[in-house]
Amino acid sequence: MSEETTKEGRGPSRRGFLRNSALAGAGLVAGAGAARAEGPDPLITEVQDWASSFGDAVDAAPYGMPIRFESHVTRRNVEWLTESPVSSINFTPIHALEGTITPQGCAFERHHSGAIELSKQDYRLMINGLVDRPLVFTYEDLTRFPRHVTTAFCECAANGGMEWGGAQLEGCQYTQGMIHNMEYTGVMLRDLLAEAGVQTEGKWVYVEGADASSNGRSIPMEKALDDVMVAFFANGEALRKEHGYPVRLVVPGWEGNMWVKWLRRIGVYDRAVESREETSKYTDLMPDGRARKWTWVMDAKSVITSPSPQVPIRHGKGPLVISGLAWSGNGAINRVDVSLDGGRNWQTARISGDAKKKALTRFHLDIDWDGSELFLQSRAVDETGYVQPTKQALREIRGLNNVYHNNGIQTWWVKADGEVENVEIA
Amino acid sequence: MSEETTKEGRGPSRRGFLRNSALAGAGLVAGAGAARAEGPDPLITEVQDWASSFGDAVDAAPYGMPIRFESHVTRRNVEWLTESPVSSINFTPIHALEGTITPQGCAFERHHSGAIELSKQDYRLMINGLVDRPLVFTYEDLTRFPRHVTTAFCECAANGGMEWGGAQLEGCQYTQGMIHNMEYTGVMLRDLLAEAGVQTEGKWVYVEGADASSNGRSIPMEKALDDVMVAFFANGEALRKEHGYPVRLVVPGWEGNMWVKWLRRIGVYDRAVESREETSKYTDLMPDGRARKWTWVMDAKSVITSPSPQVPIRHGKGPLVISGLAWSGNGAINRVDVSLDGGRNWQTARISGDAKKKALTRFHLDIDWDGSELFLQSRAVDETGYVQPTKQALREIRGLNNVYHNNGIQTWWVKADGEVENVEIA
């Protein structure tokens, strides 16, 4: 058995690749018998500038930003995809992130009339309609209700929507990056509604924002009284402006459009409002011309973030970490399978860290890449037993008329040179 | 029973304070019979500028920063506390944060010779000493080992150290802010050590950084093979420069000084190195002149973050949310008690969100404040049954000679006017 194929512990042996790459250059491998063709590596054998002088005093950076070497890890948009910069989408660089938390600074955001600047002093939230006591809350009022903490993914209903027409955009960021995952702190909508006193006929709430678009959406009372949060904090700190400062709605597991930012009003009604954002938009046009509506839940989905079109394999064959994200609007992820051959054979990936309900879940699979081409796929299974479908299976039912709720299996073609392309296979 | 004291659901009723404050001004309270002395509130009844024009196009902010209204939420230092800006401490604004995650941008950091700028290309990690195969890893090499995800608090051993001499610094940030909590992704130190092959005599590792201070610390092999991580990502993205980009050590539950940044070398030895940072520093001088050493674990602790000296109560009596953090280096937090009267009576707080092992845990208690002075305390109990002690109990054993490992109960004196002061009570 050669060094390269020896298996140790939970993954392929790294010893082989280390002997053939880094160690060879380092010249420090006293016991390993490696080639020393390149001589000592001064980066480890010699004193470097950064070890013989002072670094920056951090007092100068009371709020830090990413180091300049990571300046490529940013939100990006696709200019032709939306109407104008004030009604646009910025995609999370999910190909470059790890773990499960999305930093606010580079988290996907969609705005319909720009990101408004609204101070806590000017903030008001109204509850009206079919309630015993119409109420107006200041920001401070909201902070006096019991606080809760929850982690949830927020995914645009159109995430992956370009894929209805087959593999389109290069880059995991553009294909599946309309998603983020943060830890929220706020108050439960049910506690605010209890304060107002929902009348028996009140079966829906209509939520709208303080921006010009208002982006109103109807939510059935059952969901409103379940896990919907009126949030002030994300990942520990105040919401960023583009995420709805000072207050946004968090609707765990449901499409991002309902997570109204700069939340201004909650109307209680006996029926849905049937607003623009839930009729002409955010409904799924079926092949027969009818529209599926109230498709709120984001079904189980997954994507391999690395390797992916923006993250080719540069290190050649040998140990390869496959990393990806899985999530379900119906609960926790139970299992993620990965295929190297376009769905013919599957192996179960490791879940790394927590698999929280309605939150992004990280999976990893360690393989020993032999340098041949791969057709990488991942397939999520959630706690309800739902299995992420193929794109073809979705198209057979839903056709090609709509852009929403494409949770089909994504395929990355890894070529022998390590480059990765977004493809679809029969 | 008056409106103000009616209890509903899980906390004090908000109805009373709402009728008397926000609603009164809003003039929209059709059914509530509130006073309308101030007339309608134009902030909710009239169309505002932000609802009738476009906000910012977010394309201009590929990596966002906090909104300007939150510019006070930053790391801060205490100039006289440390020698110079290149050997300094910056405290987390824990008084202004919520939930459990600390954003990297404002997360506590301690540097001994400044924050160095080290690229992934220039990065090397050596494992040498009592190993079969001395190794040098490039950054890319490390990314080929199996990845793990874990959330952990990092607390300076000196956090709260000023409190040995009694209540000193005003502000929760300065008193207890040498702590942060992030989700890390990286590889397990045990996997790297297995690659090098630890020899039978190898009982300790010595870890050091690439900066001029090197900040070397000894870690017993048992811990090194348990949960120590060589991390590249924090809260989903690359480590920030001041947190050790591109690679730092994560030593869950153990004092922050051991979480070596810009990790350069792991030496395997048969004994501890007894370096400067574990002899003249980071040992606890006892009353008899001897020093406790190897006091690595951060024992269970808690602090109320709001109200606190930087967060006075501005809203007057009525519903008050008490929010705080608890943590233990020995495992998960089982319970947090809160006292309003300086430790005579205790009530159990709610744990909000997860109570993860060796990670910050958020607790809340909702009270109906009658406007009289409070002596607020919190007391953490971890899964081992350990109960956070009083400062007095700690002093009886450890005296006043040292600055480390003060996990005593903190007292905030809330005055009738809502101002809060750091005090100590007999």
Side-chain angles (χ1 to χ4, degrees), chain A residues 14-15 22 41 55-56 64 68 70 98 100 105 113 115 117 124 141 144 147 183 195 236 240-241 245, chain B residues 14-15 22 41 55-56 64 68 70 98 100 105 113 115 117 124 141 144 147 183 195 236 240-241 245:
Chain A
R14 270 77 194 158
R15 198 169 304 158
D41 181 347
D56 287 352
R68 63 189 172 97
E70 298 293 314
E98 256 291 354
T100 71
S113 56
E117 190 174 84
R124 296 292 185 277
D141 291 339
R144 300 176 73 180
R147 276 176 225 178
E183 182 202 67
E195 201 64 34
R240 299 286 173 89
K241 182 171 86 166
Y245 181 93
Chain B
R14 270 78 193 156
R15 198 170 303 157
D41 181 347
D56 287 353
R68 63 188 173 97
E70 298 293 315
E98 257 291 355
T100 71
S113 54
E117 190 173 85
R124 295 293 185 277
D141 290 339
R144 301 176 74 179
R147 276 176 225 177
E183 183 202 67
E195 202 63 35
R240 299 285 174 87
K241 182 171 87 166
Y245 182 94

Side-chain angles (χ1 to χ4, degrees), chain B residues 54-345:
Chain B
F54 289 129
D56 287 353
V58 182
D59 313 318
Y63 200 103
M65 279 281 280
I67 196 168
R68 63 188 173 97
F69 305 131
E70 298 293 315
S71 59
H72 57 289
V73 182
T74 62
R75 285 191 284 247
R76 292 182 194 278
N77 71 353
V78 178
E79 280 189 21
W80 52 263
L81 195 62
T82 45
E83 308 91 76
S84 84
V86 292
S87 177
S88 189
I89 297 165
N90 293 284
F91 297 75
T92 304
I94 54 173
H95 65 290
L97 303 181
E98 257 291 355
T100 71
I101 293 289
T102 315
Q104 280 206 79
C106 63
F108 146 71
E109 68 83 42
R110 166 79 164 118
H111 52 275
H112 293 77
S113 54
I116 64 169
E117 190 173 85
L118 178 55
S119 73
K120 288 176 178 172
Q121 288 72 33
D122 286 340
Y123 179 79
R124 295 293 185 277
L125 171 62
M126 188 195 306
I127 298 185
N128 65 355
L130 297 169
V131 294
D132 295 336
R133 294 169 294 279
L135 296 173
V136 177
F137 301 92
T138 62
Y139 180 84
E140 185 181 70
D141 290 339
L142 295 179
T143 66
R144 301 176 74 179
F145 283 80
R147 276 176 225 177
H148 294 260
V149 179
T150 194
T151 302
F153 75 83
C154 173
E155 184 184 19
C156 180
N159 198 25
M162 294 305 300
E163 298 289 302
W164 284 111
Q168 305 274 335
L169 296 165
E170 285 304 327
C172 184
Q173 178 169 16
Y174 304 108
T175 309
Q176 302 293 348
M178 287 196 252
I179 191 165
H180 58 63
N181 191 63
M182 306 201 214
E183 183 202 67
Y184 297 95
T185 302
V187 301
M188 301 310 289
L189 178 54
R190 62 175 178 260
D191 288 343
L192 302 184
L193 289 171
E195 202 63 35
V198 173
Q199 296 174 353
T200 312
E201 320 88 74
K203 299 300 183 193
W204 292 76
V205 297
Y206 181 71
V207 291
E208 61 180 24
D211 62 325
S213 83
S214 92
N215 189 39
R217 289 296 305 259
S218 304
I219 299 175
M221 189 60 72
E222 186 181 5
K223 179 73 173 177
L225 297 178
D226 179 18
D227 59 0
V228 178
M229 178 185 275
V230 174
F232 339 128
F233 293 88
N235 295 343
E237 67 185 344
L239 289 162
R240 299 285 174 87
K241 182 171 87 166
E242 61 271 26
H243 294 298
Y245 182 94
V247 177
R248 86 173 302 169
L249 207 63
V250 168
V251 191
W254 288 24
E255 59 186 30
N257 178 257
M258 309 177 84
W259 295 46
V260 171
K261 301 195 280 195
W262 315 292
L263 183 67
R264 177 187 184 272
R265 189 172 73 91
I266 296 161
V268 177
Y269 301 109
D270 60 351
R271 67 198 72 182
V273 165
E274 308 265 5
S275 73
R276 173 184 180 277
E277 300 293 337
E278 55 202 14
T279 52
S280 80
K281 305 287 180 189
Y282 300 100
T283 51
D284 311 340
L285 191 58
M286 297 290 283
D288 65 0
R290 293 186 305 160
R292 290 169 83 219
K293 67 174 185 179
W294 310 149
T295 51
W296 303 303
V297 176
M298 301 309 294
D299 283 325
K301 189 171 174 180
S302 67
V303 64
I304 291 169
T305 53
S306 172
S308 69
Q310 291 161 290
V311 190
I313 305 171
R314 295 280 185 227
H315 56 58
K317 65 183 183 175
L320 171 68
V321 172
I322 296 170
S323 181
L325 290 167
W327 61 94
S328 169
N330 281 307
I333 290 294
N334 257 13
R335 200 181 83 224
V336 183
D337 301 321
V338 170
S339 175
L340 309 180
D341 56 10
R344 282 195 293 272
N345 297 286

